Amino acid sequence: MILDPGVLLQVLIWGLVIGSVYMLLATGLTLIFGVMKVINFAHGELMMTGAFLTFLLWHALGLHPYLGVFVSMAGVGLLGIAVERLGFRPLRGTAKINEIFLSIALILILQNALARAFIPYFREYAQIRTPYAHRVFDLGLLNLRYDFAILLGLTWAVMLGLYLLLFRTEFGREMRGTSQNRLAAALMGIDVGRIDTASFGIGAGLAALAGSLYGIINPFSPYSGTLPAIKAFAVIILGGLGSIRGAVLGGLLYGVVEGFATFFLGGAWRDATAFILLLLVLLVRPEGIFRERA
Amino acid sequence: MLAVEGLEVEYGKVRALWGVSFRVDRGETVAIIGPNGAGKSTILRTIAGVLRPAGGRIAFRDREIGGLAAHQVARLGVALVPEGREVFPAMSVVENLLLAGRLQRDRARVRETLEWVYDTFPRLAERQRQAAATLSGGEQQMLAIARALMADPHLLMLDEPATGLSPLVVDRIFEVIRALGARGATTLLVEQNVHLALEVAARGYVLERGRVILAGDAPRLLDHPLIREAYLGLPAAGPGQGGGG
Amino acid sequence: MAPTAASRARRTPPSLGIALGMVAGAALLLAVTRELFLLQVLTFVFIFAIYAQSWNLVAHSGQFSLGHATFLGLGGYASILLARNLGLPPAVSLFVGPLLPALVGLGIGRLCVRLREWYLGMVTFGFTAITQLLVVEQFGWLTNRWDGLEAPRLLPAGLSVEGAAVGNYLIGLGLMVATYLAVASLMRSRTGLAFATIHDNELVAGVSGVDVRRYRILAMGAGGYLAGLAGALNGHTLTRHISPGVFGIEDSIWPLLYSIAGGLRTPEGPILGTLVVRLFWELMLRRLGGFESLITIVLMLAVIVRFFPQGLYPLVLRGVAAVGARPAVRR
């Protein structure tokens, strides 16, 4: 029965879980764009780096995936910091095409580095198996997988942490200030270069969480990050570039819409939802939704 | 307080300033006047560290600051109120102010300064919870000035504070600048409105095409034939002079 | 702005001379060697120089497309389907097929006419993925899904292996040179000037009377056709097969790498860039694996971007000028 509330709830939960992946990616992208005015096209590849790191820690060292996630976030966060320092910073103030080139070139570098490092050892697809892979909470109407519950909890804990950082600390205020007006921030004594580094590090860390999450629920390869990243692009365009709220709500909503579209229309539509939405918005109100601050 | 010597600035290959020299003493209000595109804003932005000088020296409190980054200059006690206000649009008024208050070492004094700033601009006190983007142009200019004051700077620099505002608001803002001067603040003011500028300033420098062409005490400048003719649109006091800008 | 574009045109050598030079060089090589592998690599260079030329033309109008594989793949599919299903000779379908990506280019240009920089990048980036999806899922009955299609050969059957290689080489060369001449004259025309003005400052272009909208859409359409031509040519000659893999990210990134390496916004840059990068790539593949080679290539390009932001073509020009062959090519 298609309209069985239990099934619908199940679809909703699935949508929220996959929506968490999009939310984490979109939040990182929009955070980086807000501060640096740069789109990290390789965000999906940072995500997969996170997935492989968690995978490696679990597979080779036997580290519990839900602990490995944090190591992976820190590792990819450091990678993000290196990318900002060695890559984007020297290009600041030069032609825009240079930043675009670097951003897109990082895709090739990361994809191929991951493929080089992992494919020979783990064949084409990897998956992270948690000890709870087959356990479910029986909630009457629906069966909730342990993993889903943990993933949702973990994501929201991290998002809460990010919220507190951004809106309850001095550093967060500096970060938001830089995002809203870079010149004024510098005039207020804020070292905007440091904020750039931090935003890229945080964005990369969130991507690593998204990747680990993805890797626990799906088999993955170095190339699996592209499509989720494209969806995250759609989400931040729809939600307004630089807007964290837009990224959070947009990401979750997108996941849920995708979940229901897949369920009612079939798998072929899963990945098309984003673009149909994007095209509609571009057609109907090309400027209305785009707000870019110089 | 501030001594600028032979300052040169280039935008790419275009030179904007050609050996500009001037000074601002402690407790003094100094105005730089001149037509659009003369390089007035460039001077302030270079002192503030937004632009890098191509040559010359900028000494602030006996320390060379030319080439420092903007945040370093700000931390030394130079506050620039930039052209076009540049507030943090999505932050509330009070958040805008507190962000600048970080520049003060002493936490207790931040509260004190905030209250004084609210006394100076009661409008801001009324709107302290409102997002800066929702303020009127005049209120945003007040916020920008108030924000600079929150840092309790040694030197306050104002870039065209009267541009685009109603006469009433302009009066209020210049009242505040005058009051700050009376309290002993050191202020460097850039303004196209020569009359306004020279009324609050003790001394002035006239800038044209990136060079200082005239300098002196404010009353004297106001009487100078060149100023009367070219900037105030009055007949030159002395015998008629041919060439202008 | 206008003066820069005009003076740029003046200080570069005449394109007809360069075209003749390219033909002469390629013919000379053919006279010296018939090494199959070398011919194939160079044929590849010719075809992908057309592709890079297309990207560069669109970039000349200020639009950085990050989804150019959309056009490459659609051109290939359209031409192959026309030849297979309607029985058109490949020599005809080769030129008719790219009309599809040209149309799609006009559509994308229209859709994205207000987007710039990162926005345009993200949206065009996404188009490749959606096109792949449509080709595989919605048009799977036509395209044979992931397995792809055999492509009819452009050259008559019955040629020797060497004859076919030489034929492909010459066809690739001819079309590349023709494309080069077309783009070079387009860039010097009023239209090219309008593109350049839009690139430098869209606002100023609009104010000074350039129909920004029209020219941007036009550039995407023309880019779509040329990229599609490269895709069709590649399918009918070198790969003889097309699959949805053509809509991958890598194929969208290559023309950007080629153009940047050679020199953006000159008609010579993409050709030089494709040649240099591709030869370097082949050399590296002899020592390293594919993954390492790709990483090395990208790093090498990063060095070019860092130290020669104008690409390699100005270096070549300067080299020629230094030799004193042409006093006109001063920098």
Side-chain angles (χ1 to χ4, degrees), chain A residues 166-167 169-194 293, chain B residues 45 48 50 70-72 74-75 78-82 86-91 95-96 98-100 102-103 107 147-148:
Chain A
L166 284 177
F167 290 92
T169 69
E170 194 78 342
F171 181 73
R173 189 181 278 155
E174 291 182 16
M175 204 157 192
R176 283 184 296 130
T178 308
S179 172
Q180 288 172 30
N181 191 329
R182 194 179 178 85
L183 169 67
L187 293 177
M188 299 302 116
I190 296 170
D191 183 349
V192 288
R194 220 179 97 235
R293 287 191 210 97
Chain B
R45 291 164 76 89
V50 177
H71 67 271
Q72 293 168 316
R75 287 174 190 175
V78 178
L80 169 65
V81 179
E86 307 284 352
V87 296
F88 300 110
M91 286 190 189
E95 262 192 307
N96 263 277
L98 288 179
L99 198 49
R102 292 164 46 268
L103 283 167
R107 292 258 147 196
R147 197 177 53 179

Side-chain angles (χ1 to χ4, degrees), chain A residues 37 39 41 96-98 101 105 108 112-113 115-116 226 230 241 269 272 275 279 283 286-287 290 292, chain C residues 64 66 111 114 117-119 122 125 127 130 133 137-138 249-250 257 260 291-292 294-295 298 301 305:
Chain A
K37 304 296 175 264
I39 292 288
F41 277 107
K96 191 112 266 172
I97 180 74
N98 293 339
F101 164 75
L108 289 186
N112 286 282
R116 172 72 187 80
T226 310
I230 291 176
L241 271 186
W269 286 92
F275 308 112
L279 291 185
L283 277 174
E287 310 121 313
F290 302 94
E292 191 179 8
Chain C
F64 298 124
L66 299 184
L111 209 57
R114 285 173 219 265
E117 294 171 359
W118 299 105
Y119 287 101
M122 284 192 286
F125 192 82
F127 269 118
I130 194 173
L133 205 84
E137 302 288 348
Q138 260 55 36
I249 301 177
E250 266 184 38
L257 300 187
I260 289 181
F291 301 137
E292 295 91 333
L294 206 55
I295 293 174
V298 173
L301 275 157
V305 167

Side-chain angles (χ1 to χ4, degrees), chain C residues 148-170:
Chain C
L149 299 166
E150 284 296 316
R153 63 173 88 229
L154 182 59
L155 292 167
L159 278 176
S160 69
V161 174
E162 192 191 278
V166 171
N168 287 339
Y169 176 85
L170 290 176

Side-chain angles (χ1 to χ4, degrees), chain C residues 40-56:
Chain C
Q40 264 176 13
V41 168
L42 287 174
T43 310
F44 186 95
V45 167
F46 297 152
I47 294 173
F48 279 78
I50 299 176
Y51 184 39
Q53 194 72 270
S54 151
W55 187 87
N56 189 49

Side-chain angles (χ1 to χ4, degrees), chain A residues 15 252-262 273 277:
Chain A
L252 287 178
L253 191 69
Y254 184 78
V256 171
V257 169
E258 181 179 289
F260 280 101
T262 312
T273 325
L277 259 170

